[in-house]
């Protein structure tokens, strides 16, 4: 599954650590999501989408 978390984060001028802090996860978790090594739980995926004011489907591409 592909995602646009990195692009959204960079567009907001946030570091991985800052995004992780805002979501209550570690910088390593953010890095793992961005690189596709970790699929977030549904609550975390929803939190990411809400943080960026996007639908979950706009952040995560389940068909990719």
């Amino acid at each position: 599954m592909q995602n646009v978390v990195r692009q959204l984060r960079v567009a907001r001028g946030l570091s991985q650590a800052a995004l992780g802090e805002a979501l209550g996860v570690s910088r390593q978790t953010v890095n793992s999501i961005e690189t596709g090594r970790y699929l977030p739980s549904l609550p975390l995926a929803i939190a990411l989408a809400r943080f960026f004011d996007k639908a979950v489907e706009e952040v995560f591409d389940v068909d990719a």
Side-chain angles (χ1 to χ4, degrees), residues 18-39:
L19 179 57
E21 186 175 323
L23 297 171
V25 300
S26 69
R27 179 201 63 77
Q28 292 87 349
T29 298
V30 173
N31 179 271
S32 293
I33 291 169
E34 289 181 356
T35 59
R37 291 190 317 261
Y38 173 73
L39 297 178

Side-chain angles (χ1 to χ4, degrees), residues 3 7 15 19-20 26 30 34 39 41 45 47-49 53-55 59 64:
N3 67 73
Q7 293 89 328
S15 66
L19 179 57
S26 69
V30 173
E34 289 181 356
L39 297 178
S41 65
L48 274 161
D53 197 30
K54 303 281 184 189
V59 179

